[in-house]
């Protein structure tokens, strides 16, 4: 009979979200995971199968814990400016890294991020009553603002431009 698991899997996955979200997949070694998560190498492999297995689990957790609430918040967005503020204020680090780093080379990651982006686009379209194409443009603008590294100023400027004039 094997020994009982000596770590909290949920805590390990949350810590992996933070680690991968800050350093990306290629910037994290198995040694980094072992030391950062406090998980023995054998336990990591037994539980997640591989670094990639843990990464996929962490990405799915990020999508559920960070992108899921974003979708709920977007449902209440009264206008494009508010939708931009909601998206630019969300913690989307791991999603953005997955889009740029892993999705081009990993079909499973690509499917996860494409589904998440499609859900954000639908939430924007539903909240604002706009076409799918315009919703995609709003999402792309918001994610671009985040990638530029100054979401507050850029989002505020764009939000002011998009706000209905009274």
């Amino acid at each position: 009979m094997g020994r009982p698991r000596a770590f909290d899997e949920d805590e390990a996955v949350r810590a992996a979200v933070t680690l991968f979200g800050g350093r990306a997949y290629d910037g994290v070694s198995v040694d980094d995971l072992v030391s950062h998560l406090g998980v023995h190498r054998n336990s990591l492999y037994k539980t997640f199968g591989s670094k990639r297995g843990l990464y996929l689990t962490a990405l799915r957790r990020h999508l559920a814990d960070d992108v899921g609430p974003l979708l709920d918040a977007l449902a209440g967005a009264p206008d494009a400016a508010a939708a931009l503020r909601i998206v630019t204020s969300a913690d989307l680090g791991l999603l953005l890294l997955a889009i740029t780093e892993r999705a081009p080379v990993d079909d499973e990651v690509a499917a996860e991020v494409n589904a998440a982006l499609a859900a954000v686009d639908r939430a924007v379209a539903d909240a604002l009553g706009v076409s799918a194409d315009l919703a995609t443009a709003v999402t792309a603008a918001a994610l671009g603002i985040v990638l530029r590294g100054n979401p507050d100023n850029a989002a505020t400027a764009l939000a002011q431009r998009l706000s209905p004039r009274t």
Side-chain angles (χ1 to χ4, degrees):
M1 184 165 92
R3 291 184 293 175
R5 185 173 292 158
F7 70 96
D8 183 325
E9 186 176 331
D10 191 55
E11 283 182 30
V13 172
R14 270 189 257 131
V17 168
T18 301
L19 190 59
F20 286 124
R23 294 174 40 193
Y25 181 84
D26 288 336
V28 176
S29 69
V30 173
D31 287 338
D32 293 331
L33 290 168
V34 168
S35 65
H36 187 78
L37 306 181
V39 174
H40 191 275
R41 182 181 299 270
N42 290 339
S43 295
L44 186 142
Y45 284 111
K46 184 175 182 179
T47 303
F48 302 105
S50 64
K51 172 184 163 184
R52 182 179 176 277
L54 175 55
Y55 177 82
L56 286 168
T57 301
L59 177 61
R60 289 176 181 127
R61 170 65 59 84
H62 171 64
L63 297 176
D65 290 355
D66 298 313
V67 178
L70 169 67
L71 301 176
D72 295 337
L74 283 169
D79 55 38
L84 276 172
R85 282 191 295 275
I86 290 166
V87 174
T88 59
S89 65
D91 176 8
L92 300 177
L94 182 51
L95 174 62
L96 293 172
L97 286 171
I99 290 168
T100 58
E101 181 194 33
R102 299 303 307 157
V105 297
D106 187 321
D107 291 340
E108 198 168 358
V109 172
E112 293 287 344
V113 299
N114 288 334
L117 291 173
V120 172
D121 292 343
R122 280 191 306 278
V124 169
D126 292 347
L128 304 180
V130 298
S131 71
D133 289 339
L134 183 54
T136 299
V138 170
T139 301
L143 295 177
I145 288 168
V146 173
L147 287 171
R148 293 286 307 259
N150 190 1
D152 293 334
N153 291 339
T156 298
L158 187 54
Q160 288 171 346
R161 189 79 172 127
L162 293 173
S163 291
R165 304 221 187 320
T166 56

